């Protein structure tokens, strides 16, 4: 069952079910859909100097999903 989300700039992000469990790295737009946040907030988080889930490849920026989940758990008190 595929779900497609329309994001700003008419860019679509699709994924199976409600998780990105098969993905190791999330793009900024995928991170926005995953966390229900805006692009400015996502980019601000990813550009923090000691952000544990930021991955830079060339001039592109990604979120390591496993590290992002750990970070979210620690912030929510669930971890």
């Amino acid at each position: 069952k595929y779900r497609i989300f329309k994001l700003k700039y008419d860019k679509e992000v699709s994924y199976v079910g409600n998780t990105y469990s098969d993905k190791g790295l999330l793009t900024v737009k995928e991170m926005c859909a995953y966390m229900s946040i805006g692009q400015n907030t996502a980019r601000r988080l990813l550009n923090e100097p000691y952000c544990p889930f930021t991955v830079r490849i060339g001039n592109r920026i990604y979120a390591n999903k496993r590290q992002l989940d750990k970070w979210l758990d620690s912030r929510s008190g669930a971890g």
Side-chain angles (χ1 to χ4, degrees), residues 60-77:
R60 297 182 185 243
I61 191 163
Y62 300 93
N64 178 311
K65 186 184 174 300
R66 185 175 297 153
Q67 293 297 320
L68 175 61
D69 288 338
K70 282 184 185 179
W71 182 80
L72 288 170
D73 286 345
S74 70
R75 301 282 293 190
S76 67

Side-chain angles (χ1 to χ4, degrees), residues 41-73:
T41 302
R43 288 185 189 282
R44 186 173 43 79
L45 285 170
L46 289 167
N47 284 317
E48 289 288 323
Y50 297 104
C51 181
F53 51 86
T54 298
V55 176
R56 294 180 189 276
I57 301 175
N59 65 346
R60 297 182 185 243
I61 191 163
Y62 300 93
N64 178 311
K65 186 184 174 300
R66 185 175 297 153
Q67 293 297 320
L68 175 61
D69 288 338
K70 282 184 185 179
W71 182 80
L72 288 170
D73 286 345

Side-chain angles (χ1 to χ4, degrees), residues 26-35 42 45-46 53 63 68:
L26 302 176
T27 65
V28 172
K29 290 178 179 156
E30 289 170 337
M31 181 180 163
C32 292
Y34 182 66
M35 295 180 63
L45 285 170
L46 289 167
F53 51 86
L68 175 61

